[in-house]
Amino acid sequence: MISSSPVWHPFTQHAVHGEIPAIVRTDGAWLEVADGRRIFDAISSWWVITHGHRYRPIMQAIRAETERLDQVIFAGFTHPPAEELARQLIAITPSELTHVFFSDSGSTAVEVALKMALGFWLHSGEGRRHILALERAYHGDTIGAMSVGQRGVFNAPYHPLLFDVGRLPFPHQGREQETLDALDQACRERPVAALIVEPLILGAGGMLIYQPTVLAEMARICRHHGVLLIADEVMTGWGRTGTLFACEQAGIVPDIACYSKGLTGGVLPLAVTLCQRAIFDAHYAEDRRKTFFHSSSYTANPIACAAALANLKVWRSEPVRERIAALAEVHTKALDRFRDDRRFENVRQLGTIAALDLVVNDSGYLADIGPRLYRHFLARDMLVRPLGNTIYLMPPYCSTADELSAVYEAIAALDVDH
Ligand code: PMP
Protein backbone atom coordinates (compact mmCIF):
# COMPACT_ATOMS: atom_id res chain seq x y z
CA MET A 1 0.00 0.00 0.00
CA ILE A 2 1.21 3.47 -0.88
CA SER A 3 0.41 6.09 1.71
CA SER A 4 1.49 9.74 1.81
CA SER A 5 2.29 9.48 -1.89
CA PRO A 6 2.58 12.74 -3.85
CA VAL A 7 0.93 11.05 -6.83
CA TRP A 8 -2.48 12.37 -7.91
CA HIS A 9 -4.18 9.51 -9.78
CA PRO A 10 -6.58 9.84 -12.75
CA PHE A 11 -10.32 9.40 -12.22
CA THR A 12 -9.57 8.65 -8.57
CA GLN A 13 -11.25 10.31 -5.60
CA HIS A 14 -8.42 10.03 -3.09
CA ALA A 15 -10.68 10.94 -0.17
CA VAL A 16 -12.61 7.68 -0.47
CA HIS A 17 -10.49 5.39 -2.59
CA GLY A 18 -8.44 3.59 0.06
CA GLU A 19 -5.57 1.33 -0.79
CA ILE A 20 -3.84 1.79 -4.16
CA PRO A 21 -1.84 -1.33 -4.97
CA ALA A 22 1.67 -0.81 -6.40
CA ILE A 23 2.20 -3.04 -9.42
CA VAL A 24 5.83 -4.11 -9.72
CA ARG A 25 5.59 -6.54 -12.62
CA THR A 26 3.22 -7.49 -15.41
CA ASP A 27 2.92 -10.75 -17.26
CA GLY A 28 0.31 -11.89 -19.81
CA ALA A 29 -3.07 -11.07 -18.33
CA TRP A 30 -1.69 -10.53 -14.84
CA LEU A 31 -0.53 -7.66 -12.66
CA GLU A 32 1.80 -8.50 -9.82
CA VAL A 33 1.65 -6.49 -6.60
CA ALA A 34 4.72 -5.75 -4.47
CA ASP A 35 3.63 -8.32 -1.87
CA GLY A 36 3.50 -11.05 -4.53
CA ARG A 37 -0.29 -11.00 -4.96
CA ARG A 38 -1.39 -11.43 -8.59
CA ILE A 39 -4.38 -9.58 -10.05
CA PHE A 40 -6.15 -10.67 -13.24
CA ASP A 41 -6.37 -7.70 -15.60
CA ALA A 42 -9.92 -8.19 -16.89
CA ILE A 43 -10.00 -4.73 -18.53
CA SER A 44 -6.61 -4.79 -20.26
CA SER A 45 -5.34 -1.90 -18.12
CA TRP A 46 -7.93 0.56 -19.40
CA TRP A 47 -8.43 -1.19 -22.74
CA VAL A 48 -4.89 -0.78 -24.04
CA ILE A 49 -3.22 -4.20 -23.72
CA THR A 50 -4.28 -6.43 -26.60
CA HIS A 51 -2.02 -9.51 -26.90
CA GLY A 52 -0.96 -9.53 -23.25
CA HIS A 53 1.31 -7.57 -20.94
CA ARG A 54 4.98 -7.40 -21.97
CA TYR A 55 4.23 -9.32 -25.15
CA ARG A 56 7.66 -10.61 -26.12
CA PRO A 57 7.95 -9.58 -29.81
CA ILE A 58 6.89 -6.05 -28.95
CA MET A 59 9.28 -5.75 -26.00
CA GLN A 60 12.11 -7.08 -28.17
CA ALA A 61 11.38 -4.55 -30.90
CA ILE A 62 11.47 -1.77 -28.32
CA ARG A 63 14.83 -2.96 -27.02
CA ALA A 64 16.23 -3.11 -30.55
CA GLU A 65 14.98 0.37 -31.45
CA THR A 66 16.61 1.90 -28.36
CA GLU A 67 19.97 0.94 -29.92
CA ARG A 68 19.22 3.24 -32.86
CA LEU A 69 16.87 6.09 -32.02
CA ASP A 70 15.25 8.06 -29.24
CA GLN A 71 12.93 11.03 -29.80
CA VAL A 72 13.57 12.96 -33.01
CA ILE A 73 11.84 16.20 -33.95
CA PHE A 74 9.10 15.35 -36.43
CA ALA A 75 8.60 18.77 -38.01
CA GLY A 76 10.88 18.90 -41.03
CA PHE A 77 12.46 15.52 -40.18
CA THR A 78 11.34 11.94 -40.47
CA HIS A 79 12.65 8.48 -39.54
CA PRO A 80 12.28 4.90 -40.77
CA PRO A 81 9.97 3.58 -38.00
CA ALA A 82 7.39 6.32 -38.67
CA GLU A 83 7.65 5.99 -42.46
CA GLU A 84 7.31 2.23 -42.35
CA LEU A 85 4.46 2.35 -39.83
CA ALA A 86 2.51 4.91 -41.87
CA ARG A 87 2.94 2.78 -45.00
CA GLN A 88 1.77 -0.35 -43.20
CA LEU A 89 -1.24 1.41 -41.66
CA ILE A 90 -2.27 2.67 -45.09
CA ALA A 91 -1.93 -0.88 -46.39
CA ILE A 92 -4.22 -2.46 -43.77
CA THR A 93 -6.94 0.21 -43.86
CA PRO A 94 -9.29 1.09 -46.74
CA SER A 95 -7.46 2.53 -49.75
CA GLU A 96 -9.33 5.84 -49.43
CA LEU A 97 -7.34 6.60 -46.25
CA THR A 98 -4.11 7.99 -47.64
CA HIS A 99 -2.40 10.08 -44.95
CA VAL A 100 -1.28 9.43 -41.37
CA PHE A 101 -0.85 12.08 -38.70
CA PHE A 102 0.91 10.99 -35.51
CA SER A 103 0.13 12.01 -31.94
CA ASP A 104 0.36 10.30 -28.61
CA SER A 105 -3.02 9.52 -27.03
CA GLY A 106 -6.59 8.82 -27.97
CA SER A 107 -7.63 12.30 -26.92
CA THR A 108 -5.01 13.97 -29.10
CA ALA A 109 -5.97 11.73 -32.03
CA VAL A 110 -9.52 13.07 -31.64
CA GLU A 111 -8.35 16.69 -31.32
CA VAL A 112 -6.36 16.22 -34.52
CA ALA A 113 -9.41 14.75 -36.26
CA LEU A 114 -11.60 17.70 -35.26
CA LYS A 115 -8.94 20.20 -36.33
CA MET A 116 -8.49 18.39 -39.66
CA ALA A 117 -12.23 18.58 -40.26
CA LEU A 118 -12.45 22.30 -39.51
CA GLY A 119 -9.29 23.02 -41.50
CA PHE A 120 -10.70 21.09 -44.43
CA TRP A 121 -13.86 23.19 -44.54
CA LEU A 122 -12.12 26.50 -43.95
CA HIS A 123 -9.45 25.92 -46.57
CA SER A 124 -12.04 24.61 -49.04
CA GLY A 125 -13.79 27.95 -48.74
CA GLU A 126 -17.00 26.72 -47.13
CA GLY A 127 -16.16 27.34 -43.49
CA ARG A 128 -18.48 24.72 -42.00
CA ARG A 129 -17.93 24.54 -38.23
CA HIS A 130 -20.80 22.60 -36.69
CA ILE A 131 -19.94 19.17 -35.26
CA LEU A 132 -22.40 16.36 -34.49
CA ALA A 133 -21.88 13.62 -31.91
CA LEU A 134 -23.87 10.87 -30.27
CA GLU A 135 -25.42 11.21 -26.84
CA ARG A 136 -23.48 9.14 -24.28
CA ALA A 137 -20.30 9.45 -26.37
CA TYR A 138 -16.84 9.59 -24.83
CA HIS A 139 -13.90 10.77 -26.90
CA GLY A 140 -11.28 11.75 -24.33
CA ASP A 141 -10.47 14.35 -21.71
CA THR A 142 -8.85 17.25 -23.54
CA ILE A 143 -11.08 20.26 -24.18
CA GLY A 144 -12.10 19.43 -27.75
CA ALA A 145 -12.54 15.73 -26.99
CA MET A 146 -14.66 16.60 -23.93
CA SER A 147 -16.73 18.98 -26.03
CA VAL A 148 -17.83 16.20 -28.36
CA GLY A 149 -18.38 13.83 -25.44
CA GLN A 150 -21.46 13.55 -23.29
CA ARG A 151 -21.86 16.41 -20.81
CA GLY A 152 -22.04 15.10 -17.29
CA VAL A 153 -20.25 14.56 -14.05
CA PHE A 154 -16.94 13.83 -15.80
CA ASN A 155 -16.69 17.32 -17.26
CA ALA A 156 -19.16 19.52 -15.35
CA PRO A 157 -16.51 21.92 -13.96
CA TYR A 158 -15.18 22.60 -17.44
CA HIS A 159 -18.45 23.32 -19.25
CA PRO A 160 -17.56 27.01 -19.65
CA LEU A 161 -14.61 25.93 -21.79
CA LEU A 162 -16.42 23.43 -23.99
CA PHE A 163 -17.86 24.26 -27.42
CA ASP A 164 -21.41 23.38 -28.44
CA VAL A 165 -22.06 20.39 -30.64
CA GLY A 166 -25.26 18.90 -32.04
CA ARG A 167 -26.35 15.73 -30.23
CA LEU A 168 -27.99 12.74 -31.83
CA PRO A 169 -29.88 10.26 -29.65
CA PHE A 170 -28.06 6.97 -29.11
CA PRO A 171 -29.51 4.38 -31.57
CA HIS A 172 -31.20 2.14 -29.01
CA GLN A 173 -32.47 -1.13 -30.37
CA GLY A 174 -35.85 -0.60 -32.00
CA ARG A 175 -35.39 3.19 -32.05
CA GLU A 176 -32.59 3.40 -34.59
CA GLN A 177 -34.69 5.43 -37.01
CA GLU A 178 -34.86 8.29 -34.46
CA THR A 179 -31.07 8.63 -34.63
CA LEU A 180 -31.01 8.50 -38.41
CA ASP A 181 -33.84 11.02 -38.71
CA ALA A 182 -32.10 13.32 -36.22
CA LEU A 183 -28.89 13.09 -38.24
CA ASP A 184 -30.65 13.84 -41.50
CA GLN A 185 -32.58 16.71 -39.90
CA ALA A 186 -29.44 18.21 -38.33
CA CYS A 187 -27.67 18.10 -41.70
CA ARG A 188 -30.59 19.90 -43.37
CA GLU A 189 -30.89 22.61 -40.70
CA ARG A 190 -27.41 24.05 -41.06
CA PRO A 191 -24.07 23.23 -42.67
CA VAL A 192 -22.43 20.44 -40.69
CA ALA A 193 -18.66 19.97 -40.75
CA ALA A 194 -18.44 16.46 -39.30
CA LEU A 195 -20.11 13.68 -37.37
CA ILE A 196 -17.88 11.91 -34.86
CA VAL A 197 -18.81 8.40 -33.69
CA GLU A 198 -17.45 5.50 -31.71
CA PRO A 199 -18.28 2.78 -34.24
CA LEU A 200 -20.60 -0.02 -33.03
CA ILE A 201 -20.06 0.45 -29.30
CA LEU A 202 -19.91 3.41 -26.95
CA GLY A 203 -17.23 2.54 -24.41
CA ALA A 204 -17.09 4.83 -21.39
CA GLY A 205 -20.73 5.75 -22.05
CA GLY A 206 -21.68 2.31 -20.75
CA MET A 207 -20.64 -0.30 -23.33
CA LEU A 208 -23.72 0.50 -25.43
CA ILE A 209 -23.84 -1.54 -28.61
CA TYR A 210 -25.58 -0.60 -31.85
CA GLN A 211 -26.01 -2.33 -35.16
CA PRO A 212 -23.53 -2.14 -38.08
CA THR A 213 -26.49 -1.34 -40.36
CA VAL A 214 -27.10 1.84 -38.33
CA LEU A 215 -23.47 2.88 -38.71
CA ALA A 216 -23.66 2.17 -42.44
CA GLU A 217 -26.80 4.29 -42.71
CA MET A 218 -25.21 7.13 -40.70
CA ALA A 219 -22.27 7.04 -43.12
CA ARG A 220 -24.65 7.15 -46.07
CA ILE A 221 -26.53 10.18 -44.70
CA CYS A 222 -23.22 11.95 -44.02
CA ARG A 223 -22.06 11.31 -47.56
CA HIS A 224 -25.39 12.54 -48.92
CA HIS A 225 -24.93 15.87 -47.13
CA GLY A 226 -21.18 16.11 -47.74
CA VAL A 227 -20.55 15.79 -43.99
CA LEU A 228 -17.20 14.31 -42.91
CA LEU A 229 -17.45 11.12 -40.85
CA ILE A 230 -14.89 10.75 -38.07
CA ALA A 231 -14.54 7.22 -36.70
CA ASP A 232 -13.05 7.22 -33.21
CA GLU A 233 -11.65 3.67 -33.12
CA VAL A 234 -9.48 4.42 -30.11
CA MET A 235 -11.28 1.77 -28.06
CA THR A 236 -12.83 -0.37 -30.81
CA GLY A 237 -9.66 -0.77 -32.87
CA TRP A 238 -7.19 -3.63 -32.85
CA GLY A 239 -9.64 -6.50 -32.62
CA ARG A 240 -11.79 -5.55 -29.65
CA THR A 241 -15.07 -5.83 -31.53
CA GLY A 242 -14.10 -9.06 -33.33
CA THR A 243 -12.63 -7.48 -36.45
CA LEU A 244 -9.43 -5.47 -36.74
CA PHE A 245 -11.49 -2.27 -36.87
CA ALA A 246 -15.18 -1.88 -36.07
CA CYS A 247 -15.93 0.04 -39.28
CA GLU A 248 -15.20 -3.12 -41.26
CA GLN A 249 -18.38 -4.72 -39.90
CA ALA A 250 -20.46 -1.91 -41.33
CA GLY A 251 -18.53 -1.91 -44.62
CA ILE A 252 -17.90 1.82 -44.32
CA VAL A 253 -14.88 4.02 -44.92
CA PRO A 254 -14.68 7.07 -42.66
CA ASP A 255 -13.16 10.32 -43.89
CA ILE A 256 -11.01 10.45 -40.76
CA ALA A 257 -10.12 7.58 -38.39
CA CYS A 258 -8.48 7.71 -34.96
CA TYR A 259 -6.46 4.78 -33.60
CA SER A 260 -4.46 4.50 -30.37
CA LYS A 261 -4.49 2.12 -27.35
CA GLY A 262 -3.80 -1.27 -29.04
CA LEU A 263 -1.75 0.37 -31.81
CA THR A 264 1.40 -0.55 -29.89
CA GLY A 265 -0.22 -3.60 -28.34
CA GLY A 266 -0.86 -1.16 -25.49
CA VAL A 267 2.80 -1.08 -24.46
CA LEU A 268 3.68 2.53 -25.31
CA PRO A 269 1.60 5.67 -25.87
CA LEU A 270 1.07 6.39 -29.55
CA ALA A 271 -1.86 7.50 -31.69
CA VAL A 272 -2.59 8.12 -35.34
CA THR A 273 -5.27 10.02 -37.19
CA LEU A 274 -5.73 8.78 -40.74
CA CYS A 275 -7.52 10.84 -43.35
CA GLN A 276 -8.59 10.81 -46.95
CA ARG A 277 -6.61 12.66 -49.59
CA ALA A 278 -9.08 15.54 -49.95
CA ILE A 279 -8.43 16.54 -46.33
CA PHE A 280 -4.67 16.56 -46.81
CA ASP A 281 -5.06 18.35 -50.13
CA ALA A 282 -7.18 21.13 -48.59
CA HIS A 283 -4.18 21.97 -46.37
CA TYR A 284 -1.65 21.63 -49.22
CA ALA A 285 -0.92 25.12 -50.50
CA GLU A 286 1.77 27.70 -51.16
CA ASP A 287 -0.09 29.76 -48.58
CA ARG A 288 1.58 28.84 -45.28
CA ARG A 289 -1.51 29.83 -43.33
CA LYS A 290 -3.03 26.56 -44.57
CA THR A 291 -0.39 24.53 -42.73
CA PHE A 292 -1.90 21.95 -40.39
CA PHE A 293 -0.96 23.61 -37.12
CA HIS A 294 -0.82 20.73 -34.70
CA SER A 295 2.14 19.13 -33.02
CA SER A 296 3.31 17.70 -29.77
CA SER A 297 6.88 17.21 -28.62
CA TYR A 298 6.69 13.44 -28.81
CA THR A 299 5.00 13.18 -32.21
CA ALA A 300 5.85 9.80 -33.81
CA ASN A 301 8.23 8.71 -31.09
CA PRO A 302 10.49 6.19 -32.87
CA ILE A 303 10.43 3.65 -30.05
CA ALA A 304 6.65 3.76 -29.89
CA CYS A 305 6.55 3.42 -33.68
CA ALA A 306 8.81 0.36 -33.42
CA ALA A 307 6.41 -1.13 -30.88
CA ALA A 308 3.52 -0.49 -33.28
CA LEU A 309 5.42 -2.11 -36.16
CA ALA A 310 6.03 -5.15 -33.97
CA ASN A 311 2.32 -5.19 -33.12
CA LEU A 312 1.41 -5.19 -36.82
CA LYS A 313 3.82 -8.06 -37.36
CA VAL A 314 2.13 -9.99 -34.57
CA TRP A 315 -1.19 -9.46 -36.34
CA ARG A 316 0.34 -10.73 -39.61
CA SER A 317 2.26 -13.70 -38.27
CA GLU A 318 0.26 -15.01 -35.32
CA PRO A 319 -3.31 -16.35 -35.14
CA VAL A 320 -4.63 -13.20 -33.44
CA ARG A 321 -8.02 -13.40 -35.13
CA GLU A 322 -8.43 -17.00 -33.99
CA ARG A 323 -7.54 -15.98 -30.41
CA ILE A 324 -10.11 -13.23 -30.58
CA ALA A 325 -12.77 -15.59 -31.91
CA ALA A 326 -11.96 -18.10 -29.15
CA LEU A 327 -12.16 -15.41 -26.49
CA ALA A 328 -15.47 -14.20 -27.90
CA GLU A 329 -16.81 -17.74 -27.71
CA VAL A 330 -15.85 -18.02 -24.05
CA HIS A 331 -17.78 -14.81 -23.37
CA THR A 332 -20.82 -16.03 -25.31
CA LYS A 333 -21.02 -19.28 -23.37
CA ALA A 334 -20.37 -17.66 -20.01
CA LEU A 335 -22.86 -14.86 -20.52
CA ASP A 336 -25.66 -17.29 -21.27
CA ARG A 337 -26.25 -18.17 -17.62
CA PHE A 338 -26.91 -14.49 -16.80
CA ARG A 339 -29.64 -13.97 -19.37
CA ASP A 340 -32.33 -15.39 -17.07
CA ASP A 341 -30.70 -14.14 -13.89
CA ARG A 342 -32.97 -11.43 -12.52
CA ARG A 343 -30.10 -9.69 -10.76
CA PHE A 344 -28.87 -8.58 -14.20
CA GLU A 345 -30.20 -7.01 -17.37
CA ASN A 346 -28.93 -5.96 -20.81
CA VAL A 347 -26.55 -8.89 -21.11
CA ARG A 348 -24.54 -8.06 -24.21
CA GLN A 349 -21.40 -8.77 -26.15
CA LEU A 350 -19.44 -7.44 -29.08
CA GLY A 351 -16.41 -9.54 -29.97
CA THR A 352 -14.06 -9.59 -27.00
CA ILE A 353 -16.16 -7.11 -25.00
CA ALA A 354 -18.81 -8.48 -22.64
CA ALA A 355 -21.12 -6.39 -20.47
CA LEU A 356 -24.15 -6.68 -18.25
CA ASP A 357 -25.97 -4.30 -15.94
CA LEU A 358 -26.67 -5.03 -12.32
CA VAL A 359 -30.28 -4.17 -11.54
CA VAL A 360 -30.13 -1.32 -9.03
CA ASN A 361 -32.21 1.65 -7.99
CA ASP A 362 -29.50 4.23 -8.67
CA SER A 363 -27.43 3.41 -11.74
CA GLY A 364 -25.52 6.69 -12.28
CA TYR A 365 -21.75 6.73 -12.64
CA LEU A 366 -21.40 8.12 -9.13
CA ALA A 367 -23.77 5.59 -7.60
CA ASP A 368 -22.30 3.78 -4.64
CA ILE A 369 -22.60 0.51 -6.50
CA GLY A 370 -19.58 1.16 -8.75
CA PRO A 371 -16.93 1.27 -6.00
CA ARG A 372 -18.63 -1.61 -4.19
CA LEU A 373 -18.44 -3.78 -7.28
CA TYR A 374 -14.83 -2.72 -7.83
CA ARG A 375 -13.95 -3.85 -4.29
CA HIS A 376 -15.84 -7.12 -4.75
CA PHE A 377 -13.63 -8.05 -7.68
CA LEU A 378 -10.39 -6.69 -6.26
CA ALA A 379 -10.92 -8.77 -3.13
CA ARG A 380 -10.88 -11.76 -5.51
CA ASP A 381 -7.70 -10.55 -7.23
CA MET A 382 -9.50 -9.31 -10.32
CA LEU A 383 -9.28 -5.87 -11.90
CA VAL A 384 -12.80 -4.97 -13.03
CA ARG A 385 -13.82 -1.28 -13.08
CA PRO A 386 -17.59 -1.11 -13.53
CA LEU A 387 -19.10 1.96 -15.16
CA GLY A 388 -21.77 2.67 -12.54
CA ASN A 389 -23.84 -0.52 -12.45
CA THR A 390 -22.43 -1.77 -15.77
CA ILE A 391 -20.01 -4.61 -15.29
CA TYR A 392 -17.89 -5.20 -18.36
CA LEU A 393 -14.95 -7.40 -19.26
CA MET A 394 -12.41 -6.50 -21.94
CA PRO A 395 -9.48 -8.84 -21.26
CA PRO A 396 -6.21 -9.23 -23.17
CA TYR A 397 -6.37 -11.80 -25.96
CA CYS A 398 -4.02 -14.17 -24.12
CA SER A 399 -6.61 -14.70 -21.35
CA THR A 400 -7.53 -18.35 -20.94
CA ALA A 401 -11.01 -19.83 -20.60
CA ASP A 402 -10.20 -20.74 -16.99
CA GLU A 403 -9.07 -17.23 -16.13
CA LEU A 404 -12.24 -15.77 -17.59
CA SER A 405 -14.46 -18.40 -15.99
CA ALA A 406 -13.12 -17.32 -12.62
CA VAL A 407 -14.28 -13.74 -13.31
CA TYR A 408 -17.70 -14.99 -14.37
CA GLU A 409 -17.88 -17.00 -11.13
CA ALA A 410 -17.14 -13.79 -9.25
CA ILE A 411 -19.97 -12.08 -11.12
CA ALA A 412 -22.30 -14.98 -10.29
CA ALA A 413 -21.26 -14.73 -6.64
CA LEU A 414 -22.41 -11.11 -6.43
CA ASP A 415 -24.67 -10.63 -3.51
CA VAL A 416 -24.96 -6.88 -3.50
CA ASP A 417 -27.53 -5.66 -1.07
CA HIS A 418 -29.21 -2.61 -2.62
N1 PMP B 1 -11.85 7.81 -27.58
C1 PMP B 1 -12.38 6.71 -27.04
C2 PMP B 1 -13.49 6.02 -27.75
C3 PMP B 1 -11.89 6.23 -25.82
O1 PMP B 1 -12.45 5.15 -25.28
C4 PMP B 1 -10.83 6.91 -25.19
C5 PMP B 1 -10.21 6.44 -23.88
N2 PMP B 1 -10.83 5.47 -23.19
C6 PMP B 1 -10.31 8.06 -25.78
C7 PMP B 1 -10.84 8.48 -26.99
C8 PMP B 1 -9.21 8.84 -25.15
O2 PMP B 1 -8.03 8.13 -25.20
P1 PMP B 1 -6.81 8.52 -24.23
O3 PMP B 1 -7.25 8.13 -22.85
O4 PMP B 1 -5.66 7.70 -24.72
O5 PMP B 1 -6.58 9.97 -24.36
Side-chain angles (χ1 to χ4, degrees), residues 47 105-107 110 138-140 198 232 234-235 260-261:
W47 320 346
S105 72
S107 301
V110 167
Y138 177 83
H139 295 288
E198 294 163 88
D232 175 357
V234 169
M235 187 279 268
S260 186
K261 294 191 188 281

